[in-house]
Amino acid sequence: MTDLLTREEYKAIAAQLTPPSMSFIDGALRPSSDGETIPVTNPATGELITTIAACTVADVDFAVARARTAFDSGVWSKTHPSERKRVLLQLARLIEQNAHELAVLESIDSGKPILDCVTIDIPEVAHTISWHAELMDKIYDQTAPVGNDAVAMIVREPVGVVGAVLPWNFPILMLAWKIAPALAAGCSMIVKPAAQTSLTALRVAELATQAGLPDGVLNIVTGSGRVVGEAIGSHMDIDMVTFTGSTETGRRFLRYSADSNIKEVVLELGGKNPCIVLDDAEDLDKVAAQVVAAAFWNMGENCSAGSRLIVQEGIKDKLMERVLHHCKDWKTGDPLDPSNQLGALVDKVHFGKVCEYLDIAKQEGHALILGGDTADGCYVMPTIYDGVKNSDRLAKEEIFGPVLSVITVSSYEEAIAVANDTEYGLAASVFTANGKTSMRAAQALRAGTVTVNCFGEGDVSTPFGGYKQSGFGGRDKSIHAHDQFTQLKTIWVDLSA
């Protein structure tokens, strides 16, 4: 699967695609109840790909009813874990078998470079689903030490009907992060993909049915956040919601829960993540490569992007020389050309938002040392500003684009203080050759994931989520992701005479 094709071959696959154009409810593709649709365009070209169903509250109600029926029937929720495992492993195999189709569909829908779709996203989707499938029959429940007159069992049960609301920056991968542990736990699901990027979620739902997932267990309801997202958040018969997206929208889901049935809410939200490079960092060429990847991977449309480079003054000049050198390797252009590392931003609205920050940087008088320009087709070139203060908007607000702010500090203590001076706390990186300093920094940084001498998010076995306004209620990935999709029940058996 990871063998790359040529640009012409990917173009040929794109030309032959028949993208799904309806929602997927109760095992079938369905139009919206009022027949309304939303256009789906390729952000790199502006061309219409298809239209998708603009679902209504009535469509959400129907999907929830079918999910509830499926859950209560036990057709999935009470199926033996080995059978659920078999179905999910088959889904992972079907994703691998349809990998090129899914990769191209993801690329033209979101603007993501085909290089990442083929080598990272689609393989990781299959791996995530198979990993959680293998885990489900290896999680043991517990007994409590209550003496000889009773037996106390602590067991997990699926939480019920789950609403999952997805972001547009990693459409199919975030789908996998949500559905793999939830389906493994035995839940039924209502998934709302982002309106801009719904196509791969619909295709995966078709493959899930082909793999043997019963009707009604996985439903994809397409449409706007204002209609479909709010209906999911406010629904009285949805037991929990897992949301990945902006902090502002995450607050709404807490309000929806409070105003409805007090459903459980898990939020994975924004970030303004620090990348600290201290004076004693070694191998600056490797450090610079990591800094560039942290800032520009996925066009900076990444909640864990290292968008604040906090560098100690003694090493700054040498580091920035290497950073600018490595930026030459990050080509921006046609997402279906595998020689390009960067594609287009997701749509014109977001492109406009990122461009506004380029204007703000000019107004604040920051020193532009790379990029700052754009191109037709929602392209923003990798951009670096020097002389940024942590109080500036560029350093405080999540831009979600390929924009790196360089902040100079004089000491380790100042670096940690600046890094933690943010409302977010999703991820952080620190580069130092001193082992003790690295551990001190990892403990001091208020972030859910701290990487040492590298940029990353761990792997499927490590939990992902944040502190402060970056997250609430649980974690994606790892064994801990299963916890949020289950309820704990105590069963007390009296053995006294």
Side-chain angles (χ1 to χ4, degrees):
M1 154 63 199
T2 56
D3 292 334
L4 288 166
L5 305 180
T6 65
R7 175 179 180 271
E8 289 68 29
E9 288 172 315
Y10 288 125
K11 292 282 188 183
I13 293 173
Q16 295 169 4
L17 289 174
T18 304
S21 60
M22 294 182 278
S23 62
F24 189 91
I25 302 175
D26 200 28
L29 291 168
R30 302 175 187 272
S32 65
S33 58
D34 61 5
E36 293 295 315
T37 61
I38 298 172
V40 178
T41 58
N42 182 331
T45 65
E47 297 173 349
L48 181 70
I49 300 172
T50 186
T51 60
I52 57 171
C55 289
T56 66
V57 173
D59 295 316
V60 175
D61 289 342
F62 176 65
V64 173
R66 302 314 301 157
R68 177 62 63 187
T69 296
F71 181 80
D72 290 345
S73 73
V75 66
W76 182 253
S77 60
K78 296 179 182 177
T79 297
H80 194 280
S82 63
E83 174 61 14
R84 297 204 300 270
K85 178 166 108 172
R86 184 193 66 78
V87 171
L88 291 184
L89 289 175
Q90 177 61 13
L91 173 58
R93 285 190 288 269
L94 288 172
I95 287 170
E96 290 173 338
Q97 292 168 14
N98 292 273
H100 285 303
E101 173 199 353
L102 288 167
V104 171
L105 197 60
E106 186 85 335
S107 179
I108 64 173
D109 197 21
S110 67
K112 292 170 65 72
I114 192 70
L115 175 67
D116 286 353
C117 295
V118 170
T119 62
I120 300 174
D121 294 57
I122 305 303
E124 188 62 23
V125 166
H127 178 57
T128 296
I129 292 172
S130 61
W131 192 89
H132 285 285
E134 290 288 0
L135 182 64
M136 75 174 70
D137 59 2
K138 300 172 182 67
I139 300 177
Y140 287 81
D141 291 327
Q142 300 170 313
T143 60
V146 296
N148 295 326
D149 290 338
V151 172
M153 295 176 284
I154 304 162
V155 300
R156 293 179 180 87
E157 295 181 347
V159 72
V161 175
V162 173
V165 181
L166 307 180
W168 44 254
N169 58 331
F170 291 93
I172 193 170
L173 185 55
M174 293 303 97
L175 174 75
W177 280 19
K178 306 298 186 184
I179 69 171
L183 294 178
C187 298
S188 293
M189 300 194 73
I190 317 296
V191 177
K192 182 212 164 311
Q196 301 96 320
T197 54
S198 297
L199 301 184
T200 47
L202 292 167
R203 184 67 181 117
V204 168
E206 292 180 307
L207 294 176
T209 294
Q210 184 179 336
L213 192 70
D215 294 348
V217 174
L218 177 60
N219 306 277
I220 312 294
V221 184
T222 58
S224 71
R226 182 180 58 82
V227 176
V228 177
E230 181 173 347
I232 288 173
S234 302
H235 207 286
M236 295 296 293
D237 205 25
I238 290 179
D239 299 298
M240 75 157 289
V241 167
T242 174
F243 168 77
T244 295
S246 71
T247 299
E248 177 185 0
T249 304
R251 290 190 178 98
R252 291 185 193 145
F253 279 97
L254 294 177
R255 296 187 189 105
Y256 298 151
S257 173
D259 292 340
S260 58
N261 59 342
I262 316 294
K263 60 176 61 65
E264 296 183 38
V265 178
V266 174
L267 304 176
E268 195 275 283
L269 307 174
K272 193 66 182 176
N273 310 290
C275 178
I276 298 173
V277 181
L278 299 176
D279 276 353
D280 64 351
E282 295 179 336
D283 194 351
L284 287 189
D285 197 61
K286 177 182 176 182
V287 173
Q290 294 288 302
V291 168
V292 171
F296 301 137
W297 177 53
N298 204 55
M299 297 72 70
E301 295 174 330
N302 179 17
C303 54
S304 61
S307 57
R308 289 187 297 152
L309 173 57
I310 302 171
V311 57
Q312 203 166 351
E313 56 192 359
I315 206 170
K316 177 185 173 182
D317 290 344
K318 292 181 180 179
L319 175 66
M320 295 312 299
E321 178 183 348
R322 302 309 302 159
V323 165
L324 292 175
H325 173 76
H326 278 280
C327 285
K328 296 176 182 178
D329 297 331
W330 286 71
K331 292 173 55 182
T332 301
D334 181 0
L336 288 181
D337 185 341
S339 68
N340 290 326
Q341 285 75 29
L342 298 173
L345 300 189
V346 70
D347 62 13
K348 289 185 178 298
V349 173
H350 185 62
F351 173 77
K353 174 194 169 186
V354 175
C355 289
E356 287 178 6
Y357 279 100
L358 302 182
D359 293 335
I360 289 169
K362 293 177 183 177
Q363 295 165 12
E364 293 185 340
H366 302 308
L368 176 66
I369 61 174
L370 181 74
D373 47 353
T374 63
D376 292 339
C378 297
Y379 293 105
V380 175
M381 304 305 148
T383 298
I384 302 176
Y385 291 102
D386 198 1
V388 179
K389 297 178 181 178
N390 208 48
S391 57
D392 294 333
R393 290 185 63 185
L394 252 62
K396 295 181 71 68
E397 299 175 12
E398 186 177 36
I399 300 173
F400 228 60
V403 180
L404 175 63
S405 298
V406 181
I407 303 169
T408 307
V409 295
S410 60
S411 66
Y412 163 83
E413 289 77 14
E414 184 183 2
I416 296 298
V418 169
N420 284 336
D421 183 19
T422 173
E423 63 189 28
Y424 298 110
L426 187 58
S429 301
V430 60
F431 292 84
T432 174
N434 188 304
K436 183 181 291 186
T437 299
S438 71
M439 290 307 300
R440 286 173 57 210
Q443 293 174 342
L445 289 166
R446 299 284 295 165
T449 297
V450 178
T451 56
V452 177
N453 293 328
C454 66
F455 163 73
E457 299 173 353
D459 62 15
V460 70
S461 69
T462 58
F464 183 78
Y467 289 18
K468 298 186 280 188
Q469 293 186 37
S470 287
F472 178 90
R475 292 290 190 265
D476 287 320
K477 300 195 306 174
S478 83
I479 190 172
H480 300 283
H482 286 245
D483 294 341
Q484 62 198 13
F485 299 111
T486 61
Q487 291 277 23
L488 286 181
K489 175 181 283 186
T490 296
I491 300 175
W492 185 280
V493 181
D494 187 356
L495 299 180
S496 60

mmCIF file with all atom_site columns, all heavy atoms in Angstrom, residues 66-80:
data_model
loop_
_atom_site.group_PDB
_atom_site.id
_atom_site.type_symbol
_atom_site.label_atom_id
_atom_site.label_alt_id
_atom_site.label_comp_id
_atom_site.label_asym_id
_atom_site.label_entity_id
_atom_site.label_seq_id
_atom_site.pdbx_PDB_ins_code
_atom_site.Cartn_x
_atom_site.Cartn_y
_atom_site.Cartn_z
_atom_site.occupancy
_atom_site.B_iso_or_equiv
_atom_site.pdbx_formal_charge
_atom_site.auth_seq_id
_atom_site.auth_comp_id
_atom_site.auth_asym_id
_atom_site.auth_atom_id
_atom_site.pdbx_PDB_model_num
ATOM 1   N N   . ARG A 1 66 ? -32.730 4.339   14.947 1.00 0.00 ? 66 ARG A N   1
ATOM 2   C CA  . ARG A 1 66 ? -32.207 3.078   14.416 1.00 0.00 ? 66 ARG A CA  1
ATOM 3   C C   . ARG A 1 66 ? -30.999 2.605   15.232 1.00 0.00 ? 66 ARG A C   1
ATOM 4   O O   . ARG A 1 66 ? -30.835 1.402   15.466 1.00 0.00 ? 66 ARG A O   1
ATOM 5   C CB  . ARG A 1 66 ? -31.810 3.247   12.944 1.00 0.00 ? 66 ARG A CB  1
ATOM 6   C CG  . ARG A 1 66 ? -32.944 3.715   12.031 1.00 0.00 ? 66 ARG A CG  1
ATOM 7   C CD  . ARG A 1 66 ? -34.241 2.961   12.270 1.00 0.00 ? 66 ARG A CD  1
ATOM 8   N NE  . ARG A 1 66 ? -34.076 1.519   12.050 1.00 0.00 ? 66 ARG A NE  1
ATOM 9   C CZ  . ARG A 1 66 ? -34.855 0.592   12.575 1.00 0.00 ? 66 ARG A CZ  1
ATOM 10  N NH1 . ARG A 1 66 ? -35.834 0.945   13.414 1.00 0.00 ? 66 ARG A NH1 1
ATOM 11  N NH2 . ARG A 1 66 ? -34.659 -0.679  12.312 1.00 0.00 ? 66 ARG A NH2 1
ATOM 12  N N   . ALA A 1 67 ? -30.177 3.547   15.674 1.00 0.00 ? 67 ALA A N   1
ATOM 13  C CA  . ALA A 1 67 ? -29.041 3.170   16.515 1.00 0.00 ? 67 ALA A CA  1
ATOM 14  C C   . ALA A 1 67 ? -29.506 2.620   17.849 1.00 0.00 ? 67 ALA A C   1
ATOM 15  O O   . ALA A 1 67 ? -28.948 1.644   18.366 1.00 0.00 ? 67 ALA A O   1
ATOM 16  C CB  . ALA A 1 67 ? -28.125 4.380   16.728 1.00 0.00 ? 67 ALA A CB  1
ATOM 17  N N   . ARG A 1 68 ? -30.539 3.223   18.425 1.00 0.00 ? 68 ARG A N   1
ATOM 18  C CA  . ARG A 1 68 ? -31.076 2.745   19.701 1.00 0.00 ? 68 ARG A CA  1
ATOM 19  C C   . ARG A 1 68 ? -31.677 1.359   19.543 1.00 0.00 ? 68 ARG A C   1
ATOM 20  O O   . ARG A 1 68 ? -31.482 0.481   20.395 1.00 0.00 ? 68 ARG A O   1
ATOM 21  C CB  . ARG A 1 68 ? -32.119 3.739   20.222 1.00 0.00 ? 68 ARG A CB  1
ATOM 22  C CG  . ARG A 1 68 ? -32.806 3.304   21.518 1.00 0.00 ? 68 ARG A CG  1
ATOM 23  C CD  . ARG A 1 68 ? -31.828 3.149   22.676 1.00 0.00 ? 68 ARG A CD  1
ATOM 24  N NE  . ARG A 1 68 ? -31.189 4.415   22.999 1.00 0.00 ? 68 ARG A NE  1
ATOM 25  C CZ  . ARG A 1 68 ? -30.191 4.526   23.870 1.00 0.00 ? 68 ARG A CZ  1
ATOM 26  N NH1 . ARG A 1 68 ? -29.684 3.454   24.470 1.00 0.00 ? 68 ARG A NH1 1
ATOM 27  N NH2 . ARG A 1 68 ? -29.660 5.714   24.118 1.00 0.00 ? 68 ARG A NH2 1
ATOM 28  N N   . THR A 1 69 ? -32.408 1.151   18.465 1.00 0.00 ? 69 THR A N   1
ATOM 29  C CA  . THR A 1 69 ? -32.996 -0.173  18.222 1.00 0.00 ? 69 THR A CA  1
ATOM 30  C C   . THR A 1 69 ? -31.897 -1.221  18.107 1.00 0.00 ? 69 THR A C   1
ATOM 31  O O   . THR A 1 69 ? -32.001 -2.322  18.674 1.00 0.00 ? 69 THR A O   1
ATOM 32  C CB  . THR A 1 69 ? -33.851 -0.148  16.949 1.00 0.00 ? 69 THR A CB  1
ATOM 33  O OG1 . THR A 1 69 ? -34.946 0.750   17.141 1.00 0.00 ? 69 THR A OG1 1
ATOM 34  C CG2 . THR A 1 69 ? -34.399 -1.534  16.620 1.00 0.00 ? 69 THR A CG2 1
ATOM 35  N N   . ALA A 1 70 ? -30.850 -0.892  17.355 1.00 0.00 ? 70 ALA A N   1
ATOM 36  C CA  . ALA A 1 70 ? -29.756 -1.842  17.192 1.00 0.00 ? 70 ALA A CA  1
ATOM 37  C C   . ALA A 1 70 ? -29.075 -2.121  18.527 1.00 0.00 ? 70 ALA A C   1
ATOM 38  O O   . ALA A 1 70 ? -28.764 -3.278  18.855 1.00 0.00 ? 70 ALA A O   1
ATOM 39  C CB  . ALA A 1 70 ? -28.734 -1.292  16.193 1.00 0.00 ? 70 ALA A CB  1
ATOM 40  N N   . PHE A 1 71 ? -28.874 -1.057  19.320 1.00 0.00 ? 71 PHE A N   1
ATOM 41  C CA  . PHE A 1 71 ? -28.199 -1.251  20.601 1.00 0.00 ? 71 PHE A CA  1
ATOM 42  C C   . PHE A 1 71 ? -29.052 -2.114  21.536 1.00 0.00 ? 71 PHE A C   1
ATOM 43  O O   . PHE A 1 71 ? -28.549 -3.080  22.135 1.00 0.00 ? 71 PHE A O   1
ATOM 44  C CB  . PHE A 1 71 ? -27.903 0.088   21.260 1.00 0.00 ? 71 PHE A CB  1
ATOM 45  C CG  . PHE A 1 71 ? -27.177 -0.038  22.568 1.00 0.00 ? 71 PHE A CG  1
ATOM 46  C CD1 . PHE A 1 71 ? -25.805 -0.252  22.593 1.00 0.00 ? 71 PHE A CD1 1
ATOM 47  C CD2 . PHE A 1 71 ? -27.853 0.028   23.778 1.00 0.00 ? 71 PHE A CD2 1
ATOM 48  C CE1 . PHE A 1 71 ? -25.124 -0.397  23.797 1.00 0.00 ? 71 PHE A CE1 1
ATOM 49  C CE2 . PHE A 1 71 ? -27.188 -0.112  24.979 1.00 0.00 ? 71 PHE A CE2 1
ATOM 50  C CZ  . PHE A 1 71 ? -25.818 -0.322  24.992 1.00 0.00 ? 71 PHE A CZ  1
ATOM 51  N N   . ASP A 1 72 ? -30.320 -1.766  21.672 1.00 0.00 ? 72 ASP A N   1
ATOM 52  C CA  . ASP A 1 72 ? -31.183 -2.495  22.604 1.00 0.00 ? 72 ASP A CA  1
ATOM 53  C C   . ASP A 1 72 ? -31.411 -3.939  22.179 1.00 0.00 ? 72 ASP A C   1
ATOM 54  O O   . ASP A 1 72 ? -31.633 -4.815  23.024 1.00 0.00 ? 72 ASP A O   1
ATOM 55  C CB  . ASP A 1 72 ? -32.531 -1.774  22.744 1.00 0.00 ? 72 ASP A CB  1
ATOM 56  C CG  . ASP A 1 72 ? -32.414 -0.457  23.483 1.00 0.00 ? 72 ASP A CG  1
ATOM 57  O OD1 . ASP A 1 72 ? -31.367 -0.227  24.122 1.00 0.00 ? 72 ASP A OD1 1
ATOM 58  O OD2 . ASP A 1 72 ? -33.365 0.347   23.412 1.00 0.00 ? 72 ASP A OD2 1
ATOM 59  N N   . SER A 1 73 ? -31.348 -4.206  20.875 1.00 0.00 ? 73 SER A N   1
ATOM 60  C CA  . SER A 1 73 ? -31.557 -5.574  20.406 1.00 0.00 ? 73 SER A CA  1
ATOM 61  C C   . SER A 1 73 ? -30.406 -6.492  20.774 1.00 0.00 ? 73 SER A C   1
ATOM 62  O O   . SER A 1 73 ? -30.562 -7.718  20.800 1.00 0.00 ? 73 SER A O   1
ATOM 63  C CB  . SER A 1 73 ? -31.741 -5.576  18.883 1.00 0.00 ? 73 SER A CB  1
ATOM 64  O OG  . SER A 1 73 ? -30.496 -5.338  18.221 1.00 0.00 ? 73 SER A OG  1
ATOM 65  N N   . GLY A 1 74 ? -29.231 -5.895  21.029 1.00 0.00 ? 74 GLY A N   1
ATOM 66  C CA  . GLY A 1 74 ? -28.063 -6.702  21.350 1.00 0.00 ? 74 GLY A CA  1
ATOM 67  C C   . GLY A 1 74 ? -27.376 -7.288  20.151 1.00 0.00 ? 74 GLY A C   1
ATOM 68  O O   . GLY A 1 74 ? -26.430 -8.072  20.298 1.00 0.00 ? 74 GLY A O   1
ATOM 69  N N   . VAL A 1 75 ? -27.814 -6.915  18.950 1.00 0.00 ? 75 VAL A N   1
ATOM 70  C CA  . VAL A 1 75 ? -27.237 -7.489  17.739 1.00 0.00 ? 75 VAL A CA  1
ATOM 71  C C   . VAL A 1 75 ? -25.745 -7.186  17.630 1.00 0.00 ? 75 VAL A C   1
ATOM 72  O O   . VAL A 1 75 ? -24.991 -7.930  17.016 1.00 0.00 ? 75 VAL A O   1
ATOM 73  C CB  . VAL A 1 75 ? -28.004 -6.993  16.489 1.00 0.00 ? 75 VAL A CB  1
ATOM 74  C CG1 . VAL A 1 75 ? -27.808 -5.482  16.286 1.00 0.00 ? 75 VAL A CG1 1
ATOM 75  C CG2 . VAL A 1 75 ? -27.600 -7.766  15.258 1.00 0.00 ? 75 VAL A CG2 1
ATOM 76  N N   . TRP A 1 76 ? -25.298 -6.108  18.271 1.00 0.00 ? 76 TRP A N   1
ATOM 77  C CA  . TRP A 1 76 ? -23.877 -5.776  18.342 1.00 0.00 ? 76 TRP A CA  1
ATOM 78  C C   . TRP A 1 76 ? -23.417 -5.624  19.785 1.00 0.00 ? 76 TRP A C   1
ATOM 79  O O   . TRP A 1 76 ? -22.377 -6.142  20.182 1.00 0.00 ? 76 TRP A O   1
ATOM 80  C CB  . TRP A 1 76 ? -23.595 -4.485  17.574 1.00 0.00 ? 76 TRP A CB  1
ATOM 81  C CG  . TRP A 1 76 ? -22.147 -4.080  17.548 1.00 0.00 ? 76 TRP A CG  1
ATOM 82  C CD1 . TRP A 1 76 ? -21.567 -3.060  18.219 1.00 0.00 ? 76 TRP A CD1 1
ATOM 83  C CD2 . TRP A 1 76 ? -21.094 -4.693  16.781 1.00 0.00 ? 76 TRP A CD2 1
ATOM 84  N NE1 . TRP A 1 76 ? -20.226 -2.978  17.938 1.00 0.00 ? 76 TRP A NE1 1
ATOM 85  C CE2 . TRP A 1 76 ? -19.903 -3.971  17.057 1.00 0.00 ? 76 TRP A CE2 1
ATOM 86  C CE3 . TRP A 1 76 ? -21.046 -5.776  15.902 1.00 0.00 ? 76 TRP A CE3 1
ATOM 87  C CZ2 . TRP A 1 76 ? -18.684 -4.302  16.473 1.00 0.00 ? 76 TRP A CZ2 1
ATOM 88  C CZ3 . TRP A 1 76 ? -19.819 -6.111  15.320 1.00 0.00 ? 76 TRP A CZ3 1
ATOM 89  C CH2 . TRP A 1 76 ? -18.673 -5.390  15.604 1.00 0.00 ? 76 TRP A CH2 1
ATOM 90  N N   . SER A 1 77 ? -24.204 -4.952  20.601 1.00 0.00 ? 77 SER A N   1
ATOM 91  C CA  . SER A 1 77 ? -23.790 -4.648  21.976 1.00 0.00 ? 77 SER A CA  1
ATOM 92  C C   . SER A 1 77 ? -23.611 -5.898  22.828 1.00 0.00 ? 77 SER A C   1
ATOM 93  O O   . SER A 1 77 ? -22.804 -5.908  23.754 1.00 0.00 ? 77 SER A O   1
ATOM 94  C CB  . SER A 1 77 ? -24.810 -3.708  22.630 1.00 0.00 ? 77 SER A CB  1
ATOM 95  O OG  . SER A 1 77 ? -26.090 -4.302  22.663 1.00 0.00 ? 77 SER A OG  1
ATOM 96  N N   . LYS A 1 78 ? -24.377 -6.955  22.522 1.00 0.00 ? 78 LYS A N   1
ATOM 97  C CA  . LYS A 1 78 ? -24.298 -8.181  23.323 1.00 0.00 ? 78 LYS A CA  1
ATOM 98  C C   . LYS A 1 78 ? -23.637 -9.326  22.569 1.00 0.00 ? 78 LYS A C   1
ATOM 99  O O   . LYS A 1 78 ? -23.626 -10.463 23.057 1.00 0.00 ? 78 LYS A O   1
ATOM 100 C CB  . LYS A 1 78 ? -25.694 -8.574  23.790 1.00 0.00 ? 78 LYS A CB  1
ATOM 101 C CG  . LYS A 1 78 ? -26.324 -7.535  24.722 1.00 0.00 ? 78 LYS A CG  1
ATOM 102 C CD  . LYS A 1 78 ? -27.724 -7.927  25.164 1.00 0.00 ? 78 LYS A CD  1
ATOM 103 C CE  . LYS A 1 78 ? -28.326 -6.838  26.058 1.00 0.00 ? 78 LYS A CE  1
ATOM 104 N NZ  . LYS A 1 78 ? -29.729 -7.154  26.454 1.00 0.00 ? 78 LYS A NZ  1
ATOM 105 N N   . THR A 1 79 ? -23.115 -9.014  21.398 1.00 0.00 ? 79 THR A N   1
ATOM 106 C CA  . THR A 1 79 ? -22.391 -10.025 20.638 1.00 0.00 ? 79 THR A CA  1
ATOM 107 C C   . THR A 1 79 ? -21.079 -10.357 21.329 1.00 0.00 ? 79 THR A C   1
ATOM 108 O O   . THR A 1 79 ? -20.451 -9.488  21.945 1.00 0.00 ? 79 THR A O   1
ATOM 109 C CB  . THR A 1 79 ? -22.117 -9.505  19.206 1.00 0.00 ? 79 THR A CB  1
ATOM 110 O OG1 . THR A 1 79 ? -23.360 -9.303  18.548 1.00 0.00 ? 79 THR A OG1 1
ATOM 111 C CG2 . THR A 1 79 ? -21.275 -10.475 18.413 1.00 0.00 ? 79 THR A CG2 1
ATOM 112 N N   . HIS A 1 80 ? -20.655 -11.595 21.229 1.00 0.00 ? 80 HIS A N   1
ATOM 113 C CA  . HIS A 1 80 ? -19.408 -12.012 21.876 1.00 0.00 ? 80 HIS A CA  1
ATOM 114 C C   . HIS A 1 80 ? -18.252 -11.155 21.363 1.00 0.00 ? 80 HIS A C   1
ATOM 115 O O   . HIS A 1 80 ? -18.178 -10.834 20.170 1.00 0.00 ? 80 HIS A O   1
ATOM 116 C CB  . HIS A 1 80 ? -19.133 -13.483 21.575 1.00 0.00 ? 80 HIS A CB  1
ATOM 117 C CG  . HIS A 1 80 ? -18.081 -14.083 22.455 1.00 0.00 ? 80 HIS A CG  1
ATOM 118 N ND1 . HIS A 1 80 ? -16.733 -13.915 22.236 1.00 0.00 ? 80 HIS A ND1 1
ATOM 119 C CD2 . HIS A 1 80 ? -18.183 -14.837 23.583 1.00 0.00 ? 80 HIS A CD2 1
ATOM 120 C CE1 . HIS A 1 80 ? -16.046 -14.542 23.166 1.00 0.00 ? 80 HIS A CE1 1
ATOM 121 N NE2 . HIS A 1 80 ? -16.901 -15.108 24.006 1.00 0.00 ? 80 HIS A NE2 1
#
